[in-house]
Amino acid sequence: MKFMMRTKRAYTIFAISAALSLALLMGISQVTADDRLSFVYETGIRPTGSLTFADGVNKFFGMTSAGGVANAGVVFSFEPLTENYSVIREFSGGEGNTPFGDLVYDSGTGLLYGMTSAGGANGVGVIFSVHSETGAYTTLHDFVDTTGKIPFGSLTLINGVLYGMTSAGGTNNAGVIFSFNPQTQAYTKIFDGFSSINGREPHGSLISVDGVLYGMTSAGGTNNAGVIFSFNPQTQAYTLLHEFTTEEGTNPFGSLLYRNDVLYGMTSQNEI
């Protein structure tokens, strides 16, 4: 496989084996159309989330935060065996734009669920579904100031219900935790207590461990450096588990990973 980089700014899809053998599958770059392994502006640039693999159709699905007809991002599929890249949907301002997170795949319906950080009826993002094969797109919820706005993370699917966070909006304009039922299309703000004390402005996603949600905020807490927290959807109990300090790292923007009873994560800054 031959790949030629012709610009300083490039984005790639890659594979790496357990033996750490790296294979570049596709470059995402603003280059000429004759670069057959490269995206062009019209097919999406600047992906910021992760790929979602759908076992049933043997494809990866993802999003870019820009590019496409309206320069608002696209939803795409990628087949690793054939290296076939297809744009499923191009975002526009009215139905949501500039997605930053990942997609959630429902194998039963073939639907992909995701969020945008901007656009929609109020200009502050939407929850949407898009069919993985037909590209049929539906705006499911328009975010609004009072119940949460501007999500940067991804949705988490638990027992048919989607959970997520917004980085702003709510009582303290510090973000909220919400649930969304795709069947009834009911959006519920289930935690509105993010603040300078409890942690504020979450940018990552929630993970579920034994029915309890865990996440991080990018700011707030005693040191205004972010916190780790848990939230029980059944009891709606929020527990502050850890407040970051400059010595150990501050301002996390990603999500946690759970393995063998331990939560792992990263911070974006520290002071040495």
Side-chain angles (χ1 to χ4, degrees):
M1 181 187 304
K2 184 178 180 182
F3 178 80
M4 297 180 65
M5 193 78 69
R6 296 189 181 179
T7 68
K8 294 181 179 179
R9 183 175 296 174
Y11 317 88
T12 63
I13 296 174
F14 63 88
I16 188 165
S17 70
L20 302 183
S21 176
L22 180 68
L24 187 64
L25 299 180
M26 183 170 286
I28 306 175
S29 178
Q30 295 184 45
V31 293
T32 58
D34 60 357
D35 279 325
R36 299 182 64 185
L37 295 179
S38 296
F39 288 91
V40 291
Y41 183 88
E42 288 76 13
T43 57
I45 58 173
R46 302 191 187 102
T48 58
S50 303
L51 293 167
T52 297
F53 185 71
D55 287 301
V57 295
N58 198 36
K59 292 180 183 180
F60 290 104
F61 295 94
M63 299 185 287
T64 70
S65 64
V69 172
N71 192 27
V74 307
V75 179
F76 66 85
S77 67
F78 181 78
E79 298 179 62
L81 295 180
T82 63
E83 297 184 11
N84 180 52
Y85 172 91
S86 299
V87 173
I88 299 173
R89 181 73 182 187
E90 296 179 276
F91 290 105
S92 67
E95 63 184 20
N97 63 70
T98 321
F100 283 100
D102 311 338
L103 294 162
V104 175
Y105 178 69
D106 184 342
S107 59
T109 63
L111 291 175
L112 298 159
Y113 294 98
M115 299 187 288
T116 69
S117 65
N122 305 304
V124 292
V126 306
I127 300 173
F128 68 87
S129 69
V130 59
H131 197 277
S132 57
E133 297 298 325
T134 67
Y137 181 96
T138 304
T139 298
L140 302 173
H141 174 75
D142 289 282
F143 288 106
V144 63
D145 201 45
T146 54
T147 58
K149 63 181 182 179
I150 315 176
F152 288 112
S154 308
L155 295 165
T156 301
L157 182 63
I158 306 171
N159 298 324
V161 178
L162 297 164
Y163 294 88
M165 299 187 289
T166 67
S167 67
T171 300
N172 302 307
N173 196 29
V176 307
I177 300 174
F178 66 85
S179 67
F180 182 81
N181 188 321
Q183 299 302 314
T184 64
Q185 297 196 11
Y187 175 96
T188 306
K189 180 178 62 174
I190 57 177
F191 179 72
D192 194 11
F194 286 125
S195 67
S196 297
I197 297 173
N198 288 330
R200 59 182 294 121
E201 300 168 27
H203 279 66
S205 308
L206 295 163
I207 65 168
S208 175
V209 180
D210 298 327
V212 177
L213 300 171
Y214 293 87
M216 298 187 288
T217 70
S218 66
T222 300
N223 307 298
N224 194 29
V227 307
I228 301 173
F229 66 86
S230 67
F231 181 78
N232 188 321
Q234 301 303 315
T235 65
Q236 298 199 355
Y238 177 93
T239 305
L240 198 159
L241 301 175
H242 180 74
E243 298 177 279
F244 289 104
T245 68
T246 54
E247 290 78 17
E248 63 192 14
T250 66
N251 309 113
F253 288 97
S255 307
L256 293 165
L257 174 69
Y258 176 80
R259 184 173 177 82
N260 298 328
D261 295 324
V262 177
L263 293 168
Y264 295 87
M266 298 187 291
T267 62
S268 68
Q269 300 183 58
N270 76 325
E271 200 171 280
I272 299 176

